[in-house]
Structures are given as C-alpha cells and as structure tokens.
Amino acid sequence: MTITNQTAGQLAGMHATGTREIQVREAINECLRQEMELDENVIIMGEEIAGGAGRQDQGVEDAWGGPFRTTVGLIQQFGKERVLDTPLSEAAFIGAAIGASSTGLRAVAELMFVDFIGVCMDQLVNNAAKMRYMFGGQVKVPFTMMTRIGAGFGAAAQHSESYYSIFSHFPGLKGVVPSDAYTAKGLLAAAIRDDDPVVYFEHKGLYGSVGPVPEEPYVLPLGKARTVREGTDITLVGISKMTWVCTAAAEELAKEGISCEVIDLLSVSPIDYDHINESVLKTHRLVVVDEDTPICSMASEICSRVAEEVFDYLDAPPSRVTAPHTPVPYSRAMENEYMPNESRVKTTVRNLMNR
Amino acid sequence: MELDRESILKLFKTMATIRHFEERGIPETGQRGMSASVHSSAGQEAVATGVCANLTNEDYIGSTHRGHGHCIAKGVDPKLMMAELFGRATGPNKGKGGSMHISDMSKGMLGTNGVVGASIPLAVGAALTSKVKKLGRVAVAFFGDGASNQGVLHESMNLASVWKLPVIFCCENNGYAMSTPSEYALSTAHVADRAQGYDMPGITVDGMDVFAVYDAAAQAVARARAGDGPSLIECQTYRFYGHTVFDNPLTYRSKEEEDHWRARDPLKLFREAVLPQGDITAAELDQIEADAEALMEEAVKFADESPLPEPVELYDDVYVNYPRELLKRGVNMAV
C-alpha cells in the first residue's frame, strides 16, 4: 500500500539520496522538527502536544508526545515557549493560534480529533477563514490546524468521523489529506509554510504505514492530486486511506481485465479538478471513494464537477462509494460494513463497466 | 492619575471624535442605504478612550460589533472608517468589512467582530505572539456583558492566566445584551467577580468616568508589561441608543433609566471633573468638539467622493495566492 521510491522522487522532482523507509507518524514528527528548526516563528500547541510537560515538578523529560506520538521530542528540543500544552479549551487555543498567526507567528494547533470541531468551529470559520477577506487583504493568517480522521478502530461516533468536506465548503480555508509517509511530510511542510490557514487531516489508520521519505525538508504543492496507478477503463479517486482501498481493488480488477486509473486526491481545498478531468477524458468513467458520509461530500462535489465539465466524455454516471448517511457505529460487526472497502469498490466498478 | 494637560485634552478629543463619528456617521450610512447592522457606541466613549490611552501603536486590541470607538481610540483614521461604512474602496478594509469588521493592522487593531466574544482569543493570541517573540506588547480584548457569558471568554481567561499572557480583558457592561438585561443573564453581581475563578485581578469601575477607566487600565497594562499576566476590568457603562438603529430601547428599558445615564454622559462628566481645576477652559473643550464635528463633515465628504470598489474585487483576498478563476469556476458569474 505504499507508492514506490521512484514515484516519490519523481513527484517531488528531487534526488532520492537520503531517502529511507519511515512511518507516517515519524514523517509528521520529522517535518514538525525541521520546520521549527528552519523558522523560529513556528510554534505548536494543543492538548497533549508535549504531554505531561505542563507540570513544573515533572519537567520536560516526561513528555510523551501525545496519544499518537506525532509530537514526541519537540518540547525537549524547542522548549515550553514554542511547544505548548494547552488546557482542554479548543475555542481559546485554536482562536489564540489564529490570533498569533495574524500577528507574526506561524502557529500550528492540533485538534485531537476532527469530531471535536464543533467546540471551536467559530474561530476557524469566522476568524481564520475570513479575516484576510474581511480586512481587505491587510493580514495573512499562516495558521495550520492538524487534526485526525478515520474510522476502523471501534472508537464509535465521536472519535471516528472523516469530516473534511465541511472545511472545503469555507472560502479562505485550505485542506490536505496525505495518504502515506511521503505525502504526510511534504504536505505538512506545505501547510505550515503557506500563508493561508490550512487544515491538515491525519488518518488514524495510516500512522504505522511505512514508506520512503527524503531526510531533507521538502514541500509538496497544495491543491495537486497525483496518479498512483495508471489505467484506461475507469478512474478511481481515493481520499486519504481510501486511496489504498482503490489500489487494492484495482489490483483485483486487473485480473478480470478491467484497467483502473487511481488518483490520490491529496488536497480537499483547492481540489485538483483538472487532474481528475484529464483522467476521465481518457477513461470515460469515474468512481470516487470517500470515507466521509455521502451528502454534500467531497465525493458528491467531484462527481458533480465532472458531470458539469466533461459530461460529453462520460460513458457511465459519475459514481460514489462512501460511508452511508449514518454516524460511525461502535461494534466491529457494523463498523466493517460502514467503511468503504475493496469489495464495494469492485462491485461498483463492475456495474459501471457493464452498462 | 498623573496625566499632563496635553494628555487630558487628548482624552477629551478622542471621546468627542467618537461621539461625533457615531452621531453623524451612523445616520449618514443609513441614508446611503448601507448596512442593516451598525451599532452605536455613543455613551461608551470613556471605556475605549481610557483604555487605549495606555497603549502604544504597537499594542493590540480585539474589538466587538460595537467597535467604532475602539477603532478611533486606537488611532484608526475616522475618514477611512467613514469610507468603510459607506462601502467605499478607500476604507481600511477596501469596502469588504463594514462596521463590524473594521481593522487596521498598522495600528494593532485586530478588527471589530460580528460574532459576540469571537475576538477575545485573537487578542490572547496576539499577546502570545508578544510573549514568544519578546516584543513587550500588550493586547486588550474588549467585549460586552453579553459576551461575558460566552464559553470562549472563560476558556480564554483560563488560558491567558495559565500562560501568564500580557492581555487585558475589558468588559464594557452596558447593561443589555440586545434587550436582555445583564442582571438577568449574569450569575454574579459583577462580571469582574469572575476574575477570581481564573486567578487574576478583577475590578469594576465607573465606565462613564474616563479617568477611572484610565487608572484601572494603567494598572492592568503595567501588570501585563511586567510579565505578571492578565487582568479583568469591568466598566459599567451605557449605550445611549438601542442595540442597532432598528430597535426602540424604550420597549425594554425606562425613560428614567436613560435619563439617569444621560446625566452621566462621559463628556459631561469630563467637563465637571476638569473645568473646576481651572487649568483647562470650557472654550478649549468647545473648540475640540467643534473640530470633531468639522472632521466628520470632512469624513462624509471624503467617503462620498471616494470610489466604490470594482465588482470584480469581490474575488480578491480570499487567499494570499489563489487563481481567481477557481473561485468562480462553474458558478456562472457575471463578472
């Protein structure tokens, strides 16, 4: 489920020296460390960012780097001024990160799970997304919100959702959905260095995924999708972890003589419509595989754009494989059915090919 | 209070400028068919003036929907503000913000804000910038009695206290959140009582007395600059008009109450406090008021003569760099 070393090098347009295999969580951690080394204005804050470091008597040595260990070691290197554990006050610290970013810092704030967005949505939507516009261009808000998506862990409905499409709805915000270690590092660097607010979505099911990552800092472009498998019969667009559901299904379908092109969306705002259209011009068919619920989703957005823009080239209706219009269930018996899987993708593709 | 003559006159000038901006600018805006949501701060001039007199150009403030006074006190040009209210391209926000979003980053003015309480964490964040970058600046979060019941204020006060940030929480308690009386909506007698819960000084002052506000803010600013952390100041004040120009305040408050507060007009109280000392004359203050009135004449003229924004400017400044084509792709725009 990883892309090849060669592809990684090609995509970045860079030499492959100093590239080694690391996990997504390590790639994120390395990126944060490098960006903080490169720019002293970069700070990071959130719940359990250091973990335990807020207690004077414990000192910084006890820091554990949070539940997914993506921020481990940062406080030891950069200190409490730049690596800030926060009280459980998302509205205040997300808002403060936005205020800090609009006054000269480049703040990264972590919302532990995207399901918690309700408690701080106002700051993101009414301040971060709109300040530059409302202020007539007077301010830049180079703010990054890191957050987590993804079901499949028996974590039930308040720790498992994949709410990225709602952020794409807001002008002024950007959003990225890395799918492996290489894109995790390159897109996080891009998010931090970008002068607009960017939401960075980490899939909980990808942290352990190992792939080739250059040691040196690098930036992948925001708003660009990539093709991870070439094909001629149908285009599959995957989002985050769903990219690998698409490639697995494509592998199987190839045995039946169906050639799938797989696109890894990587960015949910801006959306790389041109990349998708170009593929559909070749394949004439489209399936978007999205772990989010279907209504007003990334999948429905992409399908509607393709229908509007390249309608004459389509041989089948643009289609979706998504979660159903339900919250994420707890029991594995139900959760396994909830998530898009290879089987559903294969069935959908076969149906479209047989029309 | 250790203010020299010039500083004392400047307090009056700021208050007079705010008063005349509100009295002239709001009806003029309405006459031009602009904005349903303009909130007059007439009556509350002493708060913005007394607090901001303690700040430099480098310090930050976050403001509210009733924020014209904060802007003027922080040094934003009333002529440009008038242009913004009229929706002109010469406004500080180029006509994209209007009354509820006036900002001027060159003055540390982080915007008036249309969501009650929303600017509070922005000021906390600006204070964080000052602390991390060791800039020695302070930030003031202005908010009303209505916002004092918003969760984000409480989170922000706790966060600022935990991080010992150089921020001043300044509540303008004007007695009403729209028409809901603060005595109904507040669980404590004073907003300032809530400071105890966050281990910071909390003080209630007469928000109609610019010198009382100035003194309280001076202490809070000194504390913040010394690195000792945040403070909460509650200023008891009154808005002379309704929530907006559309509500009749006499449907929820009495004429007697209004008369009581009108008698405590901050400009009037200033005269009563200063003139008996003999150092400043009524003629000087009259002249300042006349100048403020004349400035508004000039501001209205400037705004009227300013160009409107081009319709295509609606696409600008959504992002720092973004293809305009992508903003209107597939939506059949006319421009």
Side-chain angles (χ1 to χ4, degrees):
Chain A
M1 67 178 255
T2 52
I3 64 165
T4 64
N5 201 343
Q6 189 190 7
T7 319
Q10 282 168 353
L11 283 162
M14 60 187 304
H15 45 93
T17 56
T19 295
R20 72 281 185 242
E21 303 263 327
I22 59 173
Q23 293 184 344
V24 165
R25 65 160 57 81
E26 294 168 326
I28 291 170
N29 185 268
E30 180 171 274
C31 179
L32 289 169
R33 189 152 35 79
Q34 290 176 342
E35 294 306 308
M36 292 186 77
E37 282 167 355
L38 288 168
D39 183 351
E40 63 177 15
N41 289 321
V42 176
I43 62 165
I44 183 163
M45 65 177 81
E47 295 155 8
E48 304 293 314
I49 285 297
R55 279 182 60 178
Q56 293 291 349
D57 60 328
Q58 289 187 345
V60 296
E61 300 304 324
D62 280 315
W64 69 305
F68 297 90
R69 301 190 65 75
T70 47
T71 50
V72 71
L74 296 179
I75 195 163
Q76 284 91 339
Q77 185 173 349
F78 301 104
K80 287 182 183 179
E81 291 276 295
R82 293 177 66 197
V83 182
L84 299 121
D85 272 340
T86 65
L88 273 69
S89 310
E90 288 87 353
F93 79 76
I94 296 285
I98 294 162
S101 297
S102 60
T103 50
L105 290 176
R106 200 168 274 278
V108 179
E110 186 189 274
L111 180 69
M112 195 178 284
F113 298 101
V114 76
D115 313 65
F116 304 165
I117 189 62
V119 297
C120 57
M121 191 66 153
D122 180 55
Q123 288 302 317
L124 200 67
V125 168
N126 277 313
N127 285 337
K130 297 178 184 172
M131 278 172 77
R132 181 172 177 79
Y133 191 78
M134 295 190 301
F135 292 9
Q138 285 181 72
V139 68
K140 289 177 182 169
V141 188
F143 163 64
T144 302
M145 187 178 89
M146 301 174 75
T147 189
R148 299 192 174 95
I149 57 171
F153 305 92
Q158 295 175 344
H159 287 70
S160 304
E161 301 285 0
S162 292
Y163 295 149
Y164 28 73
S165 66
I166 51 174
F167 298 91
S168 308
H169 188 70
F170 296 110
L173 297 181
K174 296 176 181 174
V176 288
V177 277
S179 58
D180 60 11
Y182 175 72
T183 53
K185 182 173 173 183
L187 287 172
L188 181 54
I192 293 171
R193 293 186 201 184
D194 197 77
D195 282 336
D196 289 313
V198 183
V199 185
Y200 179 86
F201 298 95
E202 302 164 25
H203 196 293
K204 298 188 285 290
L206 289 172
Y207 282 123
S209 161
V210 171
V213 176
E215 281 173 16
E216 61 268 45
Y218 61 95
V219 172
L220 293 175
L222 299 176
K224 293 290 177 200
R226 65 174 176 172
T227 300
V228 291
R229 181 187 175 101
E230 298 205 347
T232 53
D233 295 331
I234 189 163
T235 300
L236 308 181
V237 175
I239 303 167
S240 184
K241 192 185 172 193
M242 293 300 109
T243 302
W244 313 119
V245 171
C246 292
T247 52
E251 198 75 35
E252 296 286 309
L253 289 161
K255 294 172 192 161
E256 301 170 23
I258 300 172
S259 168
C260 301
E261 181 143 297
V262 178
I263 293 174
D264 182 4
L265 192 64
L266 292 181
S267 179
V268 290
S269 178
I271 299 167
D272 195 352
Y273 299 114
D274 291 338
H275 193 101
I276 297 164
N277 285 348
E278 210 171 294
S279 175
V280 172
L281 291 184
K282 184 172 70 173
T283 64
H284 313 295
R285 293 174 185 85
L286 172 72
V287 176
V288 185
V289 183
D290 184 350
E291 195 182 322
D292 199 356
T293 50
I295 298 173
C296 299
S297 63
M298 193 52 49
S300 55
E301 165 63 18
I302 292 170
C303 287
S304 78
R305 290 288 180 141
V306 164
E308 273 183 275
E309 298 185 358
V310 294
F311 180 78
D312 293 341
Y313 294 85
L314 287 168
D315 289 341
S319 302
R320 299 176 285 177
V321 175
T322 72
H325 187 57
T326 71
V328 181
Y330 168 67
S331 168
R332 292 293 171 105
M334 292 180 282
E335 191 183 27
N336 289 342
E337 289 303 312
Y338 172 92
M339 293 179 68
N341 56 32
E342 285 164 48
S343 163
R344 283 166 59 194
V345 174
K346 285 190 290 185
T347 304
T348 306
V349 168
R350 287 188 198 114
N351 288 341
L352 292 172
M353 294 306 296
N354 290 334
R355 283 176 69 93
Chain B
M1 176 180 77
E2 305 216 358
L3 284 163
D4 58 24
R5 188 175 189 282
E6 200 179 323
S7 303
I8 292 171
L9 285 172
K10 185 145 184 285
L11 292 176
F12 190 77
K13 184 183 171 189
T14 302
M15 291 201 294
T17 307
I18 297 169
R19 173 65 55 85
H20 284 276
F21 183 88
E22 302 291 36
E23 301 287 32
R24 181 79 194 270
I26 290 175
E28 295 279 1
T29 302
Q31 282 163 25
R32 283 156 185 77
M34 296 296 295
S35 189
S37 285
V38 181
H39 308 83
S40 173
S41 69
Q44 303 183 185
E45 294 87 349
V47 181
T49 302
V51 171
C52 293
N54 286 284
L55 306 180
T56 73
N57 211 30
E58 306 293 308
D59 295 320
Y60 302 103
I61 65 166
S63 170
T64 71
H65 56 287
R66 199 176 305 286
H68 301 158
H70 306 137
C71 295
I72 291 170
K74 195 67 178 66
V76 185
D77 186 338
K79 286 201 295 190
L80 305 185
M81 288 171 59
M82 195 72 78
E84 187 64 35
L85 261 58
F86 288 12
R88 302 288 165 158
T90 52
N93 309 37
K94 301 184 200 162
K96 286 229 185 70
S99 171
M100 283 194 288
H101 308 296
I102 299 170
S103 66
D104 187 341
M105 296 304 286
S106 72
K107 308 283 188 205
M109 204 300 166
L110 305 173
T112 55
N113 203 305
V115 179
V116 171
S119 71
I120 296 167
L122 296 180
V124 171
L128 178 64
T129 296
S130 176
K131 186 176 181 187
V132 172
K133 293 171 77 86
K134 299 179 172 53
L135 301 172
R137 300 173 185 171
V138 304
V140 178
F142 286 105
F143 59 96
D145 48 290
S148 76
N149 297 321
Q150 288 279 15
V152 72
L153 169 72
H154 294 264
E155 289 190 15
S156 295
M157 286 176 66
N158 184 62
L159 186 69
S161 188
V162 167
W163 286 350
K164 276 202 177 322
L165 295 178
V167 60
I168 294 98
F169 297 94
C170 181
C171 178
E172 293 174 296
N173 184 348
N174 64 19
Y176 296 89
M178 294 189 83
S179 67
T180 304
S182 59
E183 57 201 31
Y184 166 82
L186 282 171
S187 57
T188 49
H190 300 290
V191 173
D193 296 343
R194 295 177 168 181
Q196 285 178 35
Y198 306 104
D199 192 28
M200 67 177 77
I203 182 174
T204 301
V205 299
D206 180 358
M208 305 307 258
D209 177 354
V210 71
F211 299 110
V213 175
Y214 178 86
D215 287 347
Q219 278 191 32
V221 168
R223 175 179 151 86
R225 287 205 207 281
D228 294 335
S231 306
L232 170 63
I233 303 171
E234 174 189 12
C235 302
Q236 292 181 316
T237 183
Y238 202 73
R239 55 168 147 83
F240 285 172
Y241 298 95
H243 171 67
T244 66
V245 292
F246 293 106
D247 62 316
N248 173 9
L250 290 176
T251 57
Y252 53 82
R253 65 190 195 188
S254 69
K255 183 76 172 56
E256 293 69 37
E257 180 185 296
E258 289 193 353
D259 290 344
H260 165 78
W261 285 95
R262 283 270 185 184
R264 307 198 69 251
D265 182 325
L267 282 88
K268 182 167 165 280
L269 289 195
F270 180 98
R271 285 175 183 264
E272 288 168 9
V274 165
L275 293 180
Q277 293 176 26
D279 196 27
I280 288 168
T281 66
E284 279 178 286
L285 301 184
D286 292 344
Q287 186 59 48
I288 287 171
E289 290 230 48
D291 290 347
E293 200 176 349
L295 176 64
M296 294 315 140
E297 184 66 31
E298 214 182 304
V300 168
K301 187 165 182 288
F302 168 79
D304 275 335
E305 288 171 357
S306 292
L308 288 165
E310 291 297 327
V312 293
E313 288 175 38
L314 81 91
Y315 302 112
D316 296 343
D317 299 321
V318 182
Y319 298 92
V320 175
N321 277 309
Y322 205 85
R324 183 179 282 186
E325 286 311 310
L326 205 47
L327 297 172
K328 55 178 178 174
R329 183 166 176 171
V331 291
N332 303 306
M333 294 294 295
V335 292

